[in-house]
Amino acid sequence: MGINLKPIDIVDDISQEKFYEKYLKPRRPVVIKNMAKKWPAYQKWTMEYMKDVVGDVEVPLYDSSKADPSAPINSSAAKMKFGDYIDLIQREPTDLRIFLFDPIKFAPNLLEDYISPKELMGGFLDKYPNMFFGGKGSETFLHFDIDMAHIFHTHFNGRKHILLFDYKWRERLYQIPYATYALEDYDIENPDFNKFPALDGVEGIECFLEHGDTLFMPTGWWHWMKYLDGSFSISLRAWDKSWAVKAHSLWNLTVQRKFDDIMKSNFKKEYMDWKEKLAVKRAELALQRGLPK
């Protein structure tokens, strides 16, 4: 009984041809050790440097509590000056996180500190990177990214534990209908298989990132992340060439999100309870049918 986790592939460097054949084309994750060592950020991006360049910007903070059905998507739990938050995560464990933060808005010189890996693939959104900060022990709930982009996720100043699952496992992971995240009632690190039997036999990949490591996450891959130290990451996103994936992204960002917002606004807890029950029903049905095949 359990979730079957395999270690992720790790390479020091990789050619475009090998990256395409082994990882991009089959959409398999990989960790690239040396990519960020070529960046100025590898040496420059310390906690103190980030404090200095971003300044006293007030930022939204997110915790590990279950989403409030009456609140808009991505509602923050608190706010704090960025510098005070950096001091906090260096000083002590906390479940408070910053995510989808655009520091370039406040520190455009950061654009000069990293290099999009265009030698491996195209389609990068060079001026729209996201940064993520977390305290020791904080977790990012199990989800896949709504825009269905490929992601190069590079970590700095600590360690991060990541679990990855192919999109095909979405029903067995108890995906919430009309959303891109899983039921929040189980602990993916230590699940109760009696309460959530569909998780038994799910196959995934386990990954540990250290300073300067870059994780390639292909489109649609589910991911759960835990900060083992107070630290931060940057995600560089690239579009998939598939028009089907682009259409899926557009659907998620427009029709699905709008429908979900309207239903949450009008029916709140009643709607969320219905979605959670449907997630459980779909997971159990997928288990009975032996999906995915």
Side-chain angles (χ1 to χ4, degrees):
M1 178 176 285
I3 294 176
N4 300 318
L5 296 173
K6 295 181 179 179
I8 196 166
D9 286 0
I10 300 174
V11 299
D12 290 328
D13 297 288
I14 191 167
S15 67
Q16 182 183 54
E17 294 76 17
K18 190 172 182 180
F19 175 75
Y20 177 79
E21 288 299 328
K22 289 197 67 174
Y23 303 106
L24 182 58
K25 183 179 178 181
R27 294 178 178 163
R28 290 176 54 207
V30 62
V31 168
I32 306 171
K33 300 288 289 185
N34 290 340
M35 178 182 293
K37 291 180 180 178
K38 306 177 182 75
W39 301 357
Y42 184 75
Q43 299 292 340
K44 291 171 66 176
W45 282 13
T46 64
M47 294 290 195
E48 292 305 314
Y49 179 77
M50 298 306 294
K51 281 177 60 177
D52 289 343
V53 298
V54 177
D56 288 329
V57 178
E58 188 175 69
V59 293
L61 304 176
Y62 302 83
D63 60 20
S64 301
S65 59
K66 190 172 180 178
D68 180 354
S70 63
I73 191 168
N74 292 341
S75 295
S76 61
K79 291 184 178 180
M80 186 182 292
K81 286 186 176 181
F82 180 77
D84 293 339
Y85 175 76
I86 294 298
D87 290 338
L88 171 66
I89 65 173
Q90 290 187 96
R91 183 176 65 245
E92 61 191 60
T94 175
D95 72 340
L96 293 174
R97 296 175 291 111
I98 300 174
F99 81 99
L100 296 180
F101 177 50
D102 181 6
I104 292 171
K105 178 179 178 182
F106 310 101
N109 287 343
L110 290 174
L111 278 169
E112 302 171 4
D113 291 344
Y114 65 87
I115 304 165
S116 295
K118 294 178 181 178
E119 74 280 5
L120 296 183
M121 64 175 294
F124 282 95
L125 299 170
D126 289 342
K127 294 187 178 180
Y128 299 95
N130 293 313
M131 293 192 74
F132 307 82
F133 295 75
K136 181 179 180 180
S138 62
E139 299 179 11
T140 303
F141 56 84
L142 183 61
H143 70 286
F144 67 94
D145 285 16
I146 194 170
D147 62 0
M148 304 295 289
H150 297 298
I151 301 168
F152 289 82
H153 186 79
T154 302
H155 198 59
F156 295 91
N157 290 276
R159 299 165 299 143
K160 182 182 275 190
H161 181 202
I162 303 174
L163 301 181
L164 299 156
F165 303 93
D166 193 301
Y167 185 74
K168 67 183 181 181
W169 291 101
R170 60 193 180 279
E171 291 180 336
R172 294 276 296 275
L173 292 171
Y174 295 83
Q175 179 183 353
I176 297 294
Y178 308 110
T180 60
Y181 59 91
L183 190 69
E184 296 177 75
D185 295 334
Y186 65 82
D187 177 4
I188 192 64
E189 264 194 308
N190 187 30
D192 184 338
F193 296 107
N194 292 317
K195 289 184 67 175
F196 304 100
L199 294 173
D200 188 16
V202 168
E203 298 173 0
I205 294 175
E206 187 170 34
C207 169
F208 292 89
L209 296 182
E210 299 179 340
H211 178 78
D213 289 349
T214 299
L215 166 64
F216 169 66
M217 266 192 301
T219 174
W221 273 73
W222 287 73
H223 45 284
W224 167 92
M225 299 184 175
K226 183 175 184 176
Y227 291 83
L228 302 181
D229 305 291
S231 46
F232 62 92
S233 307
I234 185 171
S235 282
L236 307 180
R237 315 175 82 79
W239 294 122
D240 190 89
K241 290 184 177 180
S242 165
W243 284 104
V245 172
K246 289 183 173 72
H248 192 171
S249 171
L250 185 62
W251 172 269
N252 289 346
L253 290 165
T254 56
V255 178
Q256 177 175 281
R257 173 174 277 184
K258 186 65 175 178
F259 172 80
D260 198 49
D261 286 345
I262 291 171
M263 294 296 289
K264 283 199 297 185
S265 176
N266 285 284
F267 300 101
K268 298 183 172 65
K269 187 175 185 301
E270 181 183 359
Y271 173 58
M272 289 301 295
D273 288 346
W274 172 79
K275 290 208 300 180
E276 291 184 355
K277 290 177 181 176
L278 185 55
V280 171
K281 183 177 180 180
R282 287 178 174 176
E284 292 176 350
L285 182 59
L287 177 63
Q288 292 170 12
R289 296 171 60 191
L291 298 177
K293 294 182 178 178

